[in-house]
Amino acid sequence: MQHMEFKVKWGMVIDLDKCTGCGACSIACRAENNIPPMQDASNKLRTTDWMNIYELSNGKKFPDLEIAYLPRPCMQCGKPSCSTVCPVVATTKDEEGGIVSQVYPRCIGCRYCMAACPYHARYFNWFDPIWPEGMEKTLTPYVSARPRGVVEKCTFCHHRFNAAKEQARMSGADPLDLPEDAYIPACAEVCPTGAIVFGNLKNPEHRVAKLAASKYAFRLLARLGTDPQVYYYSKRDWVRQLGDNYLQKELKGGEHV
Amino acid sequence: MSEREFWPEGVERCDLGKFLAWLGFISIFLVWGAYGAYKVLGTGIGVTALDNYFGFGLWITFDLAVIALGAGAFFSGFLRYIMRIDELKNIINLAVIVGFLCYSGAMLILVLDIGQPLRAWFGYWHPNVHSMLTEVIFCITCYCTVLIIEYVPLILENRQIAKNRFCHHLAHNFHVYMPLFAGIGTFLSTFHQGSLGGMYGVLFGRPFVFREGFFIWPWTFFLFVASAIASGPAFTMLCATFMETITGRKLVSYETKKLMGKIAGLLLCFYMFFKILDTYAWAKGILPGMGLTFDQMYNSAAGYGKTWLWVELFWCGVIPAIMLVTPAVRNRPALLYTAAILDCVGIVINRFVFTVQALAIPVMPFDQWFSYAPNWAEWSTSLMIIAYGFLVMSLSYRYLPIFPQERALNR
């Protein structure tokens, strides 16, 4: 499979030891990306939370019980399982920092990308988007409202990247060498504990690059080979093990393959 | 002119009142399905039971299943026109109609299934050459056109239509060129049957279905082709038998049915050999390689137990394969039909497993199992397609000369 590499690689490190599961990232994402409130949110499998938060447990009884929260945006995979399967090139791995984009006017709503994504990071618009009266005034003008029948997903607030590039151009700076914090997605900006760090994974000056290189950093389902650009960070072994499909009686050295 | 004069020459059909009552019964399902389709197209597929975990559900299972069962058309055409197995001329017309119904029905369901039906043509306009689904879109629409071309001469052979010189000669010429269309159909159908399997085989994020590549194709590409041609002829034979039961007339000789059963049996053996090999390699190699165990793939409480696997492989795989290749079994109608039914059920289970069960498996260790049960909107529209098949088949049987042996068998 083709592995796309670009000069800039936007990435995220989420410190699971800092995350309190408050949900601010999820709410900020909804507000920033014009995700409409649901008429009936009772079916949680039909919600449209681009930033979903999972509760992780070490499986032990109190007082040994430990909990961690794992916010899950789109992993912006280096080798996306979704874009290669889309029959109409509605989703692609972009040169714009390796963000996996979604072209809503081209999506035919076949949902093949949803079937392909092991992270469940893609969401289908089951219903027409309806905002309560007056709420339309709060919509972000740079993000399109998606119609019924298309798949949508987190794009690392790509519109903010465009704004940051414009700002850089206007000030005479290189838009492909943005300083840290010139572009950060809404979830990272709003996180009250600073658990979400965002930046260019290929720029050693950025904190995200240093954190991703840490021995405590891991990627979700790394064994599948999707090469995510979202890293998680935890000093707790059980959290890191849960990040991959940990096999209790795992054979070593590839002898089982 | 009486309605009788539209019947094929020298055959008997039920009286018009009875036939209209039958069509009225079929119409109940058509109307219910049309209402479901209206709701789906009008308000979106939010009216179904599909969700973000089960983007693929009953409709896709139905599509994959009918396309596999409709493989009798292309494979019988291949054997009849390319391999020159003359005996199949007695059932080839039925195979074509069954194939046409399966493919056109699948396309109708797909129109409902995609979220943006008005953009369905984007598959041609913005094709992604890396996507197996692109290949399916191209092949399935092209092959459906081929089936229409193969069906048209049958319609033109209606006793009254054939009186028109142009229609008569057109039908004749269509028949002359039929080997060409059979060849094109075989090429197209082989590829999209394979691509339907390939669609799942390339999902490397889904351990249940992912298979390593064989050249540029995942292994499931070949398994789907093999399973389709192993069940298609059996399904065509069962359709003929079902029609005989309903109409009370002999339509296809038992010799022809036995031949179809033998073809299906040999191919089922071929398929089962590789399917069992594949399952073993998947359980012992691929899953542990991904850090998963065999047991993790199943959850009986959620309705995805190992029962499906054993029923598919043993009761609906190995057993009918042995039965169909055994001449003594094939000589007994009840056993032949039982084996054919098991064969078809096994392939339907296989398609269910690849679409619904495969998506139910939580790949992230902290994720949960979820169940899926289709709701009325999915059932009504799926039954509508089956009713549509009954409608077209009923009209074709009544007015078109489908079965060349019918007169001789009912003397």
Side-chain angles (χ1 to χ4, degrees), chain B residues 295-325:
Chain B
D295 288 340
Q296 279 178 300
M297 299 291 101
Y298 300 94
N299 186 321
S300 297
Y304 309 112
K306 286 176 192 160
T307 312
W308 289 112
L309 181 76
W310 304 128
V311 170
E312 180 201 336
L313 289 186
F314 183 73
W315 292 105
C316 296
V318 174
I319 295 289
I322 293 169
M323 288 171 77
L324 288 169
V325 293

Side-chain angles (χ1 to χ4, degrees), chain B residues 155-167:
Chain B
I155 298 170
L156 296 179
E157 281 177 359
N158 172 273
R159 190 141 60 113
Q160 297 305 323
I161 297 174
K163 284 179 181 171
N164 179 294
R165 273 174 60 85
F166 173 76
C167 291

Side-chain angles (χ1 to χ4, degrees), chain A residues 42-47 126, chain B residues 50-54 370-371:
Chain A
S42 60
N43 185 348
K44 297 301 176 194
L45 299 181
R46 281 192 173 172
T47 54
W126 300 97
Chain B
L50 295 167
D51 55 45
N52 287 329
Y53 268 61
F54 296 98
F370 288 103
S371 296

Side-chain angles (χ1 to χ4, degrees), chain B residues 131-202:
Chain B
S131 173
M132 286 280 179
L133 187 51
T134 301
E135 192 176 318
V136 170
I137 291 171
F138 269 77
C139 285
I140 203 171
T141 44
C142 291
Y143 183 53
C144 197
T145 310
V146 168
L147 283 166
I148 292 169
I149 292 170
E150 291 181 342
Y151 190 15
V152 163
L154 289 176
I155 298 170
L156 296 179
E157 281 177 359
N158 172 273
R159 190 141 60 113
Q160 297 305 323
I161 297 174
K163 284 179 181 171
N164 179 294
R165 273 174 60 85
F166 173 76
C167 291
H168 175 74
H169 289 301
L170 188 62
H172 174 73
N173 279 297
F174 265 120
H175 280 304
V176 169
Y177 292 108
M178 210 45 78
L180 173 67
F181 292 118
I184 294 170
T186 302
F187 174 79
L188 291 170
S189 198
T190 304
F191 269 88
H192 84 250
Q193 294 284 0
S195 294
L196 283 172
M199 269 181 68
Y200 295 88
V202 297

Side-chain angles (χ1 to χ4, degrees), chain A residues 1 45-47 85-88 104 106-112 115 120 124 126 148 223 242 244-245 247 256, chain B residues 42 45-46 48 50-52 55-56 113 115-116 119 122 126 128 131 134 199 204 206 288 291 293 363 365 367:
Chain A
M1 184 183 301
L45 299 181
R46 281 192 173 172
T47 54
V85 300
C86 176
V88 293
Y104 304 119
R106 191 183 287 174
C107 175
I108 62 172
C110 69
R111 306 182 298 286
Y112 193 14
H120 299 298
F124 188 69
W126 300 97
R148 182 185 87 203
R223 296 185 196 199
L242 267 182
D244 205 343
N245 277 307
L247 201 60
H256 53 290
Chain B
I45 53 176
T48 66
L50 295 167
D51 55 45
N52 287 329
F56 291 174
D113 195 9
Q116 292 281 341
R119 298 178 187 171
F122 281 17
H126 305 289
N128 176 10
S131 173
T134 301
M199 269 181 68
F204 59 92
R206 296 287 182 174
T293 64
V363 184
D367 209 350

